[in-house]
């Protein structure tokens, strides 16, 4: 096996968009009011997966996000520009691991929580981190990839993803369909982050599929058997 290649099993996965939030009723109302639209996507995806898979709320989590809670951060920056005092609560909830902290308190998950942000390659690097944890440390890891469309002020610099989404994938050391993540230099198409999640979700559901995505000089491929 090459150093650029990693293998794992996927026990289950789900992909949600901003319209899928019924499962938030499971979160206490006092906590639900503090969730941003970004955090709601993450919690919804995990809750949906937990309805089908036992033990999800006692599983280590890897969250991969390129932008994090950027809408909340933008509001904080506007507050600074206006010369006003920042809310400590809003500042605390704007950091990358805040969404996982809110989720862990809501369900009592005290396992390890990791966040990954790797620019354009955040999606495959999130997978690589989760696979590494399953291979070397944990029997199972919950991978969540989530992002919203950037606020209007940032759209001239970057406009991905085209739709807000969260994808939750339960990685297992032994059970499920086998997935090999590989990095190569072969020619491939570039897809928006949402498109990558949607296409890979289809591969995981159908089996015996391959997805190759181009990120500048690198191409990442997922082989699903």
């Amino acid at each position: 096996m090459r150093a650029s290649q990693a293998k794992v099993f996927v026990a289950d996965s789900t992909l949600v968009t901003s319209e899928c939030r019924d499962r938030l009723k499971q979160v206490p109302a006092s906590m639900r009011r503090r969730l941003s639209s970004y955090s709601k996507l993450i919690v919804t995806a995990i809750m949906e997966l937990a309805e089908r898979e036992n033990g999800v709320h006692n599983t280590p989590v890897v969250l991969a996000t390129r932008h994090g809670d950027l809408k909340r951060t933008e509001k904080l920056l506007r507050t600074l520009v206006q010369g006003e005092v920042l809310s400590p609560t809003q500042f605390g909830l704007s950091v990358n691991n805040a969404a996982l902290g809110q989720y862990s308190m809501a369900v009592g998950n005290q396992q390890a929580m990791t966040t990954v942000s790797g620019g354009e390659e955040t999606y495959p690097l999130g997978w690589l981190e989760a696979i590494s944890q399953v291979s070397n440390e944990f029997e199972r890891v919950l991978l969540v990839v989530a992002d919203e469309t950037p606020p209007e002020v940032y759209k001239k610099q970057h406009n991905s993803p085209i739709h807000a989404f969260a994808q939750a994938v339960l990685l297992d050391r032994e059970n499920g369909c086998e997935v090999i993540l590989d990095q190569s230099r072969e020619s491939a198409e570039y897809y928006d982050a949402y498109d990558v999640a949607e296409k890979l979700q289809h591969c995981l559901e159908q089996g015996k599929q391959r997805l190759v995505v181009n990120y500048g000089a690198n191409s990442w491929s997922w082989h699903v058997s």
Side-chain angles (χ1 to χ4, degrees):
M1 181 179 294
R2 298 194 304 276
S4 61
Q5 189 181 81
K7 180 172 67 175
V8 75
F9 292 95
V10 171
D12 204 347
S13 62
T14 190
L15 176 66
V16 302
T17 59
S18 54
E19 289 76 28
C20 308
R21 291 180 181 160
D22 290 343
R23 290 162 184 83
L24 289 174
K25 295 175 182 177
Q26 302 175 45
V27 178
S30 60
M31 186 171 293
R32 193 164 62 237
R33 286 194 293 268
R34 304 178 78 179
L35 295 176
S36 65
S37 55
Y38 165 75
S39 297
K40 287 177 180 177
L41 278 170
I42 293 170
V43 175
T44 297
I46 298 174
M47 292 293 188
E48 182 172 306
L49 200 63
E51 289 181 3
R52 303 196 300 265
E53 296 289 336
N54 294 327
V56 166
H57 294 325
N58 193 35
T59 302
V61 183
V62 172
L63 170 63
T65 175
R66 181 172 187 176
H67 304 305
D69 203 340
L70 192 55
K71 291 181 180 178
R72 196 191 294 267
T73 302
E74 186 217 7
K75 290 179 181 179
L76 289 171
L77 292 174
R78 290 186 182 279
T79 299
L80 282 176
V81 170
Q82 293 164 4
E84 299 176 6
V85 178
L86 293 181
S87 161
T89 298
Q90 292 302 313
F91 177 78
L93 292 174
S94 71
V95 299
N96 260 7
N97 61 356
L100 290 184
Q102 290 172 294
Y103 156 71
S104 67
M105 288 187 291
V107 301
N109 188 339
Q110 299 182 30
Q111 298 297 315
M113 305 267 170
T114 306
T115 56
V116 174
S117 185
E120 184 182 33
E121 295 183 85
T122 293
Y123 191 86
L125 291 177
W127 270 83
L128 186 61
E129 172 64 26
I131 290 173
S132 297
Q133 290 192 14
V134 173
S135 301
N136 299 300
E137 193 168 0
F138 304 115
E139 293 290 333
R140 305 170 97 196
V141 168
L142 176 62
L143 168 65
V144 182
V145 186
D147 263 312
E148 291 186 300
T149 55
E152 192 63 37
V153 68
Y154 292 110
K155 287 189 175 179
K156 289 185 178 180
Q157 285 77 37
H158 199 74
N159 198 30
S160 178
I162 55 175
H163 299 297
F165 76 96
Q167 184 180 33
V169 184
L170 185 59
L171 305 183
D172 194 284
R173 193 173 288 184
E174 297 179 353
N175 302 305
C177 64
E178 185 179 79
V179 177
I180 295 175
L181 177 66
D182 193 18
Q183 187 184 41
S184 66
R185 294 188 178 275
E186 66 180 287
S187 177
E189 286 191 67
Y190 169 79
Y191 297 108
D192 178 80
Y194 171 76
D195 290 331
V196 175
E198 188 177 47
K199 289 177 184 298
L200 186 56
Q201 182 65 28
H202 176 78
C203 291
L204 294 172
E205 291 171 354
Q206 298 299 315
K208 296 183 179 179
Q209 304 282 328
R210 183 170 181 256
L211 175 65
V212 183
V213 184
N214 181 47
Y215 296 92
N218 297 320
S219 291
W220 291 83
S221 61
W222 289 261
H223 309 256
V224 182
S225 60

